[in-house]
Amino acid sequence: MPPKASTTTTFEVERVIQPIYTGGDVALDKSGRILATCLGEEALITDLNNGDLLVRVEGDGEVLTALCLTPTASHLILCSRSLSMQIYFLEFSQSDAIAVSASLLKTVKPHSTPVVTIAVDATGTLVATGSADGVIKIWDIRGGYVTHTFRGHSGVISALYFFETSETEPDQDLSTFGKKKKRHKNKDGEDTIMTDVGLSSSNKKVSYRIASGNEDGQIRVWDLEKRKSLASLDSHVSVVRDLQFSSKANVLLSASRDKTAIIWDMKNFTVKKVIPLLEGVEAIGVVGNGAFFYTGGENGRLRIWELKSGREVTREQEPGGETDGIVHVLHNFELNFILSVHADQSLNLHSIAPLLTPDIASLPIEPLPILRRISGTHDEVIDLAYVTPNRGLLAIATNSESLRLVSLSTASTSDSQPFAPGGSYFGADVALLQGHEDIIICLDVDWSGCWLATGAKDNTARLWRIDQANQSFRYFATFTGHAESIGAIALPSNPPPHGSPAFINPLEHPPPFLLTGSQDRTIKKWEIARINKSKKDSQGAPRALYTRKAHDKDINAITTNHNSTLFASASQDRTVKVWSTDGGEVQGILRGHRRGVWAVRFAPKEAPPILGESGVASSNRRGLILTGGGDKSVKIWSLEDYSCLRTLEGHTNSILKVLWMPIRPVDATSTNDRSQPPLQVATAGGDGLVKIWDSNTGEVVATLDNHSDRIWALTVHPETNALVSGGGDSTITFWKDTTAKTIATNTALATARVEQEQQLQNYVHAGHYREAITLALQLNQPGRLLSLLQSVVSANPPEAGSLSGNLAVDSVLSTLSDSQLLLLISRVRDWNTNARTAVVAQRVLGVILRSYSAERLAGLRGRGWKEMLDALAAYTERHYKRVEGLLEESYMVDFTLIEMEETGFLPAQD
């Protein structure tokens, strides 16, 4: 058998990109930095400045139906399907702004049906809830009790908004109808009549109100002081989705799914203007110093309107798709951006700078620029790859027709410019590549990282040019010709000759060709080099150089070898075929998988020979190839004779991705042949695990577990050896290779342990019991400690006045720390279960009980403390009974001896 690898391969989770929003309410504090989102039955608090997750609030286990955050982010209110409302206090650490703790203050049952609408006032002291029972309740946040209850709506409460109005008392020459007149004498003694207006013209009367809307289109305005309805506004014919008040114009804005927005005069509660929007509206709000308002709805476009005239300020925008629809919009006057939440769980930050410029009169204006895109969830991660020459971006293909580019920068974002375009923190969305008309299911990147190819269910492949330095991510070409979905795609993996123009400036030199495989069972090779010429000459779309009927079922994967002279295709027909790239001729067929093959990869050029099941297999001439299939097995094949060299088994579900780990000289110590580095492979399966294998032994050297669903995507960084995995749980995990660190740590620990063991022997030999016992407890060596205590207990004669037999040992046992005492008692418990070591255990236990007070022993806390005491009591009682039995038996021996003396069998003893 081949020798086992002596080096331990270890990986640890370095970073994780995971969902922060999957639908429901979204809340933002007044600073625009703290974001609260719903994630199923949990609520997440995120720092928008750097994308860090501050705290995860688990809730009551039921799906959240409503959520809100106070303006200062001091309290978080959650409502769920369990009919409960939970109020949490959020405490931000003074020393570290990232540390946040959430403590539950109150849990109440607000309504008889789940809360569907919630709103908090500007002071952060009151929260309003509305549900399907048509009742509105106002709650004191800190006290957790009801302050107001309003009834009047007949259906589901769909919108709530706190606001306050202020009225200036009119002048004297205005109508004095309804005012008291008082007779008064002036300084000359003449009678004058004065009107009592109650307040001077400089005083303002502030009224605190709340507006509510329901599913029937009715809006009501309630006075919090008078505790009654002031007006019922009936003009909408469908559900009212949002309300907002403009204090500058003293108007209330309402948005409805009847495709209109209405501006209401709050002085006399009448319709001031009806604005047809031609789309169902979900959000409305005032922006730009109160001169404009925004709307967002089913078309997925943020539109700006002039409040005074009601005309649209932004130019006409093309409607988006169904998943682009806007469901929420968040903004307050202290922020320089508007946050829109879309149906695909994405969040966009729009700059309002164009609304604050002096030349705003030149209408229409362009739509508000997007400062940042935030993916609430990546849905199901189907494929991913490092892009750009420095591998600073990650391309992610999700269950969508758009491709996402995510930043891998670890630089912290400056507080002075927290919302820079493109984002600079780790995990920030940099670009969204749009063009495919259906879900992207495969992608590949060339050697430089500047060219990215994608294949989708729309039967087309696309080539993208990635220029991170200039923030240019554009479409380059479309490849049309397949009759069904493209499930496999590959670009050449070999770099051009060193010093060539293509090597020096890869952005201006696209890859020479592209390979695609489809569900139509064919493979096509496309020539990219002529695309530029064909575009300039207007010769039409690129055409395939050749088309081959490759397999009998769907093609799942395509890959090229190190010099791109060969490529391999894997199919559901359980075979892998190796082809010549130039002519498209079959070079060999790999048969052996019992189910469809999902993944295939050629070994790198510098791959050393491996130890196959029948001996050493050379890979110097043609190389090796790696496959993974639905039969839960991974196979390594030789390209010399296309035979299977080794089968790796260990996954409990289909193998979905395979790859060869980069070869690094630092790993050369893991095999007996130190001149050759080891060859490892990584696999990802439907069991949610990533496994690292030693190709020589076929054994698993590491298992990485951080996913709760199948892993579709797996890639490796060519320099750092870091792995990235993504799967159906919407989680992307970055695995850091800690092998070198682990080896160094283990070596240092082993060296230190040898030194400590030698020191322990020296202490025992010199009779330094205090140091010996302390070190034995520290090293956790019960055998050494037992032999040491046995020598002390069996000492003859024992030292006078000693409980254990040695005064120095008594002193050590009576001055132990709590942790050392617990550890020693656990060892005594183990020794006490064996009659041969029970004497030592009882002697040490006696020293402990005589040296420590009952309060000290009762105050010990540790894992299994109660069970430890029960075991000590049970075995001590057993030993006591055994000693009693021996004592009783000794009486019988004495009696027998005496009787034998009397009968003469034994001589009498004096």
Side-chain angles (χ1 to χ4, degrees):
M1 293 180 60
K4 292 184 179 181
S6 59
T7 300
T8 301
T9 300
T10 58
F11 283 80
E12 64 182 23
V13 177
E14 183 179 21
R15 288 179 178 269
V16 176
I17 299 177
Q18 54 190 352
I20 63 170
Y21 175 66
T22 54
D25 282 347
V26 177
L28 196 66
D29 76 329
K30 65 179 182 181
S31 70
R33 180 170 182 173
I34 307 302
L35 177 71
T37 55
C38 294
L39 188 66
E41 61 270 10
E42 298 178 330
L44 271 59
I45 306 296
T46 307
D47 186 351
L48 278 184
N49 193 40
N50 50 29
D52 289 343
L53 176 63
L54 300 181
V55 67
R56 182 186 297 267
V57 183
E58 296 185 356
D60 59 5
E62 292 288 337
V63 175
L64 298 180
T65 59
L67 168 150
C68 72
L69 187 70
T70 57
T72 59
S74 60
H75 293 80
L76 176 69
I77 300 95
L78 306 179
C79 301
S80 70
R81 288 184 180 175
S82 63
L83 308 183
S84 69
M85 180 174 74
Q86 295 178 312
I87 303 175
Y88 290 87
F89 174 69
L90 302 180
E91 183 177 4
F92 291 78
S93 173
Q94 298 296 328
S95 58
D96 187 0
I98 300 301
V100 180
S101 61
S103 55
L104 181 62
L105 295 183
K106 195 83 172 180
T107 300
V108 296
K109 182 180 179 181
H111 297 268
S112 58
T113 57
V115 175
V116 294
T117 308
I118 192 168
V120 66
D121 76 326
T123 64
T125 58
L126 298 177
V127 62
T129 58
S131 71
D133 57 10
V135 179
I136 302 167
K137 292 186 179 181
I138 314 296
W139 303 79
D140 183 280
I141 293 178
R142 291 169 177 80
Y145 55 85
V146 177
T147 61
H148 301 73
T149 300
F150 297 125
R151 292 180 173 86
H153 286 291
S154 59
V156 177
I157 306 298
S158 57
L160 292 169
Y161 186 78
F162 283 98
F163 66 98
E164 57 185 62
T165 62
S166 58
E167 298 179 358
T168 303
E169 199 65 29
D171 295 333
Q172 292 291 326
D173 57 351
L174 299 179
S175 173
T176 59
F177 177 77
K179 300 185 174 72
K180 293 183 179 180
K181 296 183 178 180
K182 295 182 179 180
R183 189 174 297 274
H184 176 72
K185 289 186 177 182
N186 59 18
K187 61 181 181 179
D188 297 328
E190 298 176 352
D191 290 340
T192 60
I193 297 176
M194 298 188 64
T195 302
D196 184 8
V197 295
L199 295 172
S200 66
S201 60
S202 60
N203 291 333
K204 292 184 178 181
K205 182 180 180 182
V206 179
S207 299
Y208 298 94
R209 298 173 180 177
I210 184 172
S212 61
N214 73 343
E215 62 179 358
D216 296 332
Q218 182 189 48
I219 300 173
R220 283 183 175 268
V221 180
W222 312 83
D223 191 305
L224 297 183
E225 295 180 2
K226 298 178 180 179
R227 298 176 180 269
K228 68 176 184 178
S229 174
L230 297 179
S232 177
L233 313 179
D234 299 312
S235 286
H236 286 294
V237 295
S238 185
V239 55
V240 178
R241 291 298 300 137
D242 200 8
L243 298 165
Q244 194 167 90
F245 177 75
S246 172
S247 58
K248 183 177 181 179
N250 195 28
V251 295
L252 180 72
L253 288 80
S254 62
S256 170
R257 287 181 181 169
D258 61 5
K259 302 184 179 182
T260 65
I262 299 179
I263 302 176
W264 305 85
D265 189 340
M266 285 292 98
K267 186 176 182 180
N268 49 24
F269 303 107
T270 59
V271 175
K272 194 171 184 179
K273 192 177 295 292
V274 178
I275 304 173
L277 303 177
L278 305 180
E279 65 168 329
V281 188
E282 298 291 324
I284 193 170
V286 181
V287 67
N289 297 326
F292 305 96
F293 69 93
Y294 61 80
T295 60
E298 60 187 9
N299 289 342
R301 300 294 182 256
L302 192 66
R303 304 166 68 184
I304 307 298
W305 307 75
E306 194 174 31
L307 183 60
K308 184 177 181 180
S309 63
R311 62 172 177 166
E312 186 172 3
V313 174
T314 50
R315 65 168 176 80
E316 185 177 355
Q317 305 173 62
E318 183 180 352
E322 182 179 353
T323 59
D324 295 328
I326 295 177
V327 294
H328 299 287
V329 177
L330 304 177
H331 175 68
N332 64 62
F333 288 109
E334 298 182 16
L335 302 181
N336 60 355
F337 66 90
I338 298 175
L339 176 66
S340 62
V341 184
H342 297 258
D344 60 355
Q345 290 89 46
S346 65
L347 294 81
N348 292 339
L349 277 65
H350 306 260
S351 172
I352 64 171
L355 301 179
L356 307 177
T357 56
D359 59 344
I360 188 63
S362 57
L363 301 178
I365 64 172
E366 292 296 317
L368 299 185
I370 296 178
L371 296 176
R372 180 184 300 177
R373 290 182 176 90
I374 302 172
S375 297
T377 175
H378 288 294
D379 203 359
E380 192 166 2
V381 180
I382 300 175
D383 206 353
L384 48 79
Y386 284 102
V387 293
T388 72
N390 64 353
R391 304 302 188 261
L393 299 179
L394 187 70
I396 306 173
T398 64
N399 200 19
S400 167
E401 62 273 8
S402 302
L403 186 73
R404 296 172 181 173
L405 297 183
V406 173
S407 172
L408 301 182
S409 171
T410 56
S412 59
T413 303
S414 171
D415 290 337
S416 61
Q417 191 182 10
F419 304 108
S424 60
Y425 64 85
F426 187 92
D429 284 19
V430 174
L432 193 67
L433 306 185
Q434 297 176 317
H436 283 289
E437 298 177 357
D438 209 334
I439 296 174
I440 299 173
I441 53 180
C442 60
L443 59 86
D444 193 29
V445 65
D446 75 332
W447 67 274
S448 67
C450 298
W451 296 92
L452 180 68
T454 56
K457 286 187 176 181
D458 60 3
N459 306 345
T460 66
R462 283 179 173 252
L463 185 65
W464 309 85
R465 183 179 181 271
I466 310 298
D467 184 4
Q468 184 183 13
N470 298 314
Q471 291 293 304
S472 173
F473 313 99
R474 63 179 179 86
Y475 148 78
F476 183 77
T478 300
F479 304 88
T480 305
H482 283 288
E484 295 189 41
S485 302
I486 297 178
I489 198 166
L491 289 170
S493 56
N494 62 311
H498 188 77
S500 64
F503 185 87
I504 297 173
N505 190 7
L507 282 170
E508 301 302 326
H509 297 82
F513 64 87
L514 174 70
L515 296 167
T516 57
S518 170
Q519 289 184 1
D520 62 11
R521 307 170 190 178
T522 64
I523 290 175
K524 292 179 180 289
K525 179 184 177 182
W526 311 82
E527 188 173 13
I528 304 176
R530 297 183 181 179
I531 291 181
N532 271 340
K533 297 179 180 179
S534 66
K535 285 187 175 181
K536 291 179 182 179
D537 299 337
S538 301
Q539 294 179 0
R543 295 183 179 181
L545 292 177
Y546 58 75
T547 302
R548 299 288 183 266
K549 172 66 169 62
H551 292 274
D552 296 330
K553 291 186 179 180
D554 299 353
I555 299 173
N556 295 326
I558 289 181
T559 185
T560 59
N561 69 340
H562 62 86
N563 57 12
S564 299
T565 59
L566 299 175
F567 72 90
S569 60
S571 170
Q572 284 296 110
D573 63 6
R574 299 179 292 180
T575 65
V576 175
K577 292 185 178 181
V578 180
W579 309 73
S580 65
T581 304
D582 291 337
E585 302 296 331
V586 176
Q587 305 297 304
I589 302 177
L590 311 180
R591 293 185 175 93
H593 283 285
R594 298 184 300 276
R595 291 191 178 182
V597 185
W598 282 98
V600 59
R601 281 293 181 93
F602 284 96
K605 178 181 179 181
E606 61 276 11
I610 70 167
L611 297 176
E613 295 174 350
S614 58
V616 179
S618 175
S619 64
N620 293 333
R621 192 169 71 88
R622 301 201 64 182
L624 304 171
I625 193 169
L626 179 69
T627 62
D631 56 1
K632 311 174 189 176
S633 69
V634 181
K635 292 181 180 291
I636 301 176
W637 310 76
S638 171
L639 292 179
E640 296 281 351
D641 53 3
Y642 302 102
S643 62
C644 181
L645 302 178
R646 184 173 292 280
T647 299
L648 313 178
E649 295 181 337
H651 280 282
T652 58
N653 210 322
S654 301
I655 312 298
L656 303 177
K657 281 289 183 180
V658 298
L659 55 85
W660 299 88
M661 298 296 291
I663 299 173
R664 298 184 301 166
V666 69
D667 294 333
T669 57
S670 66
T671 60
N672 286 348
D673 183 8
R674 297 179 182 273
S675 63
Q676 294 291 346
L679 196 59
Q680 294 182 337
V681 299
T683 59
D687 52 8
L689 300 176
V690 176
K691 290 182 179 289
I692 313 297
W693 308 76
D694 188 325
S695 60
N696 283 327
T697 64
E699 295 183 354
V700 177
V701 296
T703 298
L704 316 182
D705 185 5
N706 194 50
H707 291 273
S708 58
D709 203 343
R710 63 182 60 202
I711 300 175
W712 288 107
L714 182 68
T715 189
V716 63
H717 195 285
E719 297 177 0
T720 64
N721 218 36
L723 288 169
V724 184
S725 57
D729 57 358
S730 306
T731 300
I732 301 173
T733 305
F734 295 80
W735 304 92
K736 181 180 180 181
D737 185 1
T738 58
T739 301
K741 179 181 177 181
T742 302
I743 293 174
T745 302
N746 292 343
T747 302
L749 291 176
T751 303
R753 191 173 187 85
V754 170
E755 294 176 353
Q756 289 176 332
E757 289 180 354
Q758 182 61 46
Q759 189 67 30
L760 177 60
Q761 294 179 4
N762 295 339
Y763 285 147
V764 174
H765 182 72
H768 298 162
Y769 293 110
R770 174 183 293 275
E771 293 80 2
I773 293 176
T774 303
L775 189 55
L777 288 173
Q778 178 183 346
L779 294 177
N780 195 19
Q781 293 188 353
R784 293 282 182 87
L785 184 61
L786 177 61
S787 61
L788 176 62
L789 294 175
Q790 280 179 332
S791 63
V792 173
V793 171
S794 60
N796 191 15
E799 292 186 11
S802 172
L803 298 176
S804 63
N806 187 288
L807 292 175
V809 174
D810 291 351
S811 176
V812 174
L813 297 181
S814 61
T815 57
L816 297 175
S817 64
D818 287 353
S819 59
Q820 291 175 334
L821 186 58
L822 275 172
L823 182 59
L824 179 60
I825 293 176
S826 68
R827 300 305 176 206
V828 169
R829 184 268 317 270
D830 297 337
W831 300 336
N832 199 41
T833 60
N834 194 323
R836 291 178 294 179
T837 56
V839 176
V840 177
Q842 289 296 316
R843 184 71 66 88
V844 174
L845 183 60
V847 174
I848 293 174
L849 294 177
R850 289 176 174 85
S851 302
Y852 297 93
S853 63
E855 291 78 9
R856 171 74 183 279
L857 295 175
L860 294 176
R861 292 291 183 268
R863 185 177 180 182
W865 172 238
K866 184 178 182 302
E867 292 78 6
M868 195 183 304
L869 294 180
D870 293 341
L872 280 172
Y875 278 95
T876 299
E877 184 177 359
R878 183 180 301 180
H879 294 320
Y880 182 75
K881 290 182 179 180
R882 181 169 58 84
V883 172
E884 280 189 335
L886 291 175
L887 182 60
E888 292 176 357
E889 292 175 359
S890 68
Y891 294 151
M892 179 61 68
V893 173
D894 290 343
F895 174 76
T896 303
L897 292 175
I898 293 173
E899 293 296 322
M900 292 177 67
E901 289 177 358
E902 293 179 355
T903 56
F905 284 101
L906 291 175
Q909 297 181 0
D910 296 336

